């Protein structure tokens, strides 16, 4: 009986390894596959190893009581190889821990032409002083904020931000603050143009996953570079509704941006804002940043390649980052549930770089909902560009 139980557990473990592999191939290509894809990689590692340990203990107990090795030992060896494979894949392909050796991440500030910080406040009550102190210490050139509360929170954040001051002695005046809908852009380099695109409509994928109405928004701004090279930044905020198929949702986003006929807000050197026709000046983003509400590596993110000038976009974390990549965590009570969420590492706040720009550094800061530093559910992501 114990031998059979050990065999069944080993078969279940092998099946889990196969499901993990399938989820990494399909990601969110289908409505059903995105549910499996959203299961955090660390959970997969813990579960498959846990199944192997339990199967091994039961198998040992069975042999101790006079049982035989038989098929269960062979299947358990296969499961062991699967566990090692899953662990190596997660550590090296998804979390990139090998980069610790030569030091990637967010380190060499001098190599970056522009440093951009993004934070989705998501309407949460946060510690403004802690967030301001963190952002100011990072020596950023541009801060983009999503979904700040319409109360004293916005004023406190904007009053406290000292964009462009840092340890290297650069202290500059705040050049531009732009508010469009639920987006706020603060830039020491200035903003020459901006527009907002709202994504609405039906997101039916034909598989029973359907949503109508608000499918998010895209705020597009053009940052004036010191070398005359403008950086177009798209700040996106897409819905978290899990029943929306991400592939169809991204199709709607791309369609809305490509068909945008709205006017562009143009900011002159005289400080006067004017409305002009959309002439394509915001159509080639060097950075698409925001809360995509789908994990890094998702198939659906490839939909943005049509705006990438033929070369597409590269995820900044995948290019130069490393670590658990945890940018968001849901609020849970204490105990084992909080510990499980704490190691999950949902990386849904992303930075996609393209159109001649390259990421030289990337990092996530602030503990988020399950920590004490800045509050809120999302961490601050910072990307260096050149």
């Amino acid at each position: 009986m114990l031998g059979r139980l050990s065999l069944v557990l080993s078969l279940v473990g092998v099946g889990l390894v196969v499901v993990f592999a399938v989820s990494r191939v399909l990601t969110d290509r289908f409505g059903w596959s995105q549910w499996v894809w959203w299961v955090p990689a660390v959970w997969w590692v813990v579960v498959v190893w846990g199944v192997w340990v339990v199967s091994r203990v039961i198998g040992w107990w069975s042999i101790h009581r006079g049982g035989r090795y038989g098929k269960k030992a062979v299947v358990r060896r296969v499961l062991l190889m699967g566990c090692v494979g899953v662990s190596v894949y997660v550590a090296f392909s998804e979390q990139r821990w090998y980069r610790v050796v030569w030091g990637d991440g967010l380190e060499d500030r001098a190599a970056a032409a522009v440093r951009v910080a993004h934070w989705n406040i998501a309407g949460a009550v946060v510690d403004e002083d802690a967030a301001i102190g963190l952002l100011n210490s990072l020596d950023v050139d541009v801060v983009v904020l999503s979904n700040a509360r319409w109360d004293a929170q916005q004023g406190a954040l904007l009053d406290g931000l000292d964009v462009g001051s840092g340890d290297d002695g650069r202290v500059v005046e705040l050049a531009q603050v732009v508010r469009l809908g639920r987006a706020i852009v603060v830039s020491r380099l200035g903003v020459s143009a901006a527009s907002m695109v709202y994504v609405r409509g039906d997101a039916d994928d034909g598989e029973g996953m359907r949503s109508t109405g608000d499918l998010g928004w895209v705020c597009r701004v053009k940052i004036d570079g010191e070398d005359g090279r403008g950086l177009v930044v798209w700040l996106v905020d897409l819905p978290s509704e899990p029943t929306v198929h991400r592939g169809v949702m991204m199709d709607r986003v791309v369609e809305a941006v490509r068909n945008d006929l709205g006017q562009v807000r143009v900011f002159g050197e005289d400080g006067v804002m004017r409305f002009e026709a959309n002439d394509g000046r915001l159509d080639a983003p060097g950075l698409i940043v925001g809360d995509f509400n789908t994990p890094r590596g998702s198939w659906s993110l490839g939909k943005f390649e049509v705006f990438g000038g033929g070369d597409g976009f590269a995820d900044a974390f995948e290019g130069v980052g490393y670590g658990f990549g945890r940018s968001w965590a849901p609020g849970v009570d204490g105990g084992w549930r909080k510990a499980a969420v704490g190691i999950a590492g949902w990386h849904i706040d992303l930075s996609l770089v393209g159109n001649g720009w390259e990421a030289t550094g990337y990092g996530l800061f602030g503990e988020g909902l399950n920590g004490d530093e800045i509050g809120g559910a999302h961490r601050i992501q910072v990307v260096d560009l050149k």
Side-chain angles (χ1 to χ4, degrees):
M1 181 65 182
L2 290 175
R4 290 181 180 178
L5 178 58
S6 176
L7 176 60
V8 169
L9 284 173
S10 296
L11 289 171
V12 169
V14 171
L16 289 173
V17 172
V18 172
V19 172
F20 171 83
V22 171
S23 73
R24 265 47 198 171
V25 173
L26 297 181
T27 67
D28 59 358
R29 185 181 296 269
F30 304 104
W32 60 267
S33 66
Q34 73 180 23
W35 293 92
V36 185
W37 167 238
W38 290 342
V39 177
V42 175
W43 288 4
W44 283 107
V45 174
V46 172
V47 169
V48 295
W49 275 107
V51 172
W52 178 84
V53 169
V54 173
S55 174
R56 181 69 181 86
V57 170
I58 294 177
W60 174 84
W61 192 10
S62 173
I63 297 299
H64 184 69
R65 296 184 62 179
R68 294 180 299 176
Y69 281 95
K71 295 181 180 179
K72 60 181 178 293
V74 176
V75 176
R76 193 162 55 242
R77 292 191 187 100
V78 173
L79 173 57
L80 177 59
M81 290 187 291
C83 291
V84 173
V86 169
S87 302
V88 171
Y89 176 84
V90 171
F92 286 86
S93 181
E94 293 198 4
Q95 298 179 353
R96 318 275 176 159
W97 285 109
Y98 59 87
R99 288 181 175 150
V100 175
V101 177
W102 59 77
D104 270 320
L106 196 68
E107 295 182 355
D108 189 4
R109 179 66 177 90
V114 182
R115 173 170 285 184
V116 181
H118 162 257
W119 186 23
N120 181 16
I121 301 175
V125 176
V126 299
D127 186 338
E128 290 92 349
D129 293 334
I132 290 168
L134 176 58
L135 285 167
N136 287 341
S137 70
L138 292 171
D139 184 24
V140 295
D141 298 308
V142 182
V143 177
V144 288
L145 303 173
S146 305
N147 305 308
R149 294 166 60 92
W150 290 99
D151 54 18
Q153 183 183 89
Q154 286 195 20
L157 289 170
L158 294 179
D159 290 342
L161 285 176
D162 187 15
V163 174
S165 64
D167 296 335
D168 61 353
R170 291 187 305 113
V171 179
V172 297
E173 296 294 331
L174 184 64
Q176 192 88 54
V177 177
V178 175
R179 303 189 200 192
L180 287 177
R182 289 173 284 175
I184 301 176
V185 179
V186 185
S187 173
R188 82 170 176 88
L189 299 173
V191 180
S192 59
S195 73
M196 177 68 84
V197 178
Y198 291 98
V199 185
R200 304 186 185 279
D202 187 353
D204 186 357
D205 69 345
E207 300 179 6
M209 303 189 71
R210 181 181 178 89
S211 177
T212 58
D214 185 4
L215 295 177
W217 49 266
V218 180
C219 177
R220 304 188 294 171
V221 297
K222 186 172 184 179
I223 308 296
D224 298 324
E226 292 180 328
D227 57 358
R229 183 186 179 194
L231 169 64
V232 176
V233 177
W234 289 9
L235 171 60
V236 306
D237 188 73
L238 303 182
S240 58
E241 173 55 51
T243 61
V244 177
H245 181 205
R246 294 307 188 253
V248 178
M249 180 178 72
M250 296 301 180
D251 284 335
R252 299 293 181 269
V253 173
V254 170
E255 180 183 5
V257 173
R258 298 182 77 170
N259 295 331
D260 178 36
L261 299 177
Q263 292 181 312
V264 175
R265 293 169 171 82
V266 178
F267 305 93
E269 295 181 358
D270 55 3
V272 177
M273 182 188 73
R274 301 175 178 85
F275 287 95
E276 296 183 3
N278 185 359
D279 57 0
R281 73 186 76 186
L282 300 175
D283 289 350
L287 174 65
I288 306 178
V289 65
D291 180 1
F292 292 81
N293 265 304
T294 196
R296 168 172 42 88
S298 295
W299 170 81
S300 62
L301 296 173
K303 303 284 188 177
F304 287 101
E305 290 185 359
V306 296
F307 303 110
D311 295 325
F313 293 90
D315 184 274
F317 180 97
E318 293 184 354
V320 292
Y322 65 85
F324 290 105
R326 172 182 173 272
S327 75
W328 171 83
V332 295
D333 297 329
W336 68 270
R337 288 181 298 177
K338 184 173 182 179
V341 168
I343 67 171
W346 281 283
H347 196 177
I348 60 175
D349 300 276
L350 309 173
S351 296
L352 308 180
V353 183
N355 284 303
W357 289 86
E358 176 186 354
T360 61
Y362 182 87
L364 292 163
F365 300 88
E367 291 302 320
L369 194 62
N370 286 310
D372 300 321
E373 189 169 358
I374 61 175
H378 296 260
R379 300 178 74 188
I380 297 171
Q381 59 171 332
V382 180
V383 58
D384 286 342
L385 302 172
K386 71 174 184 179

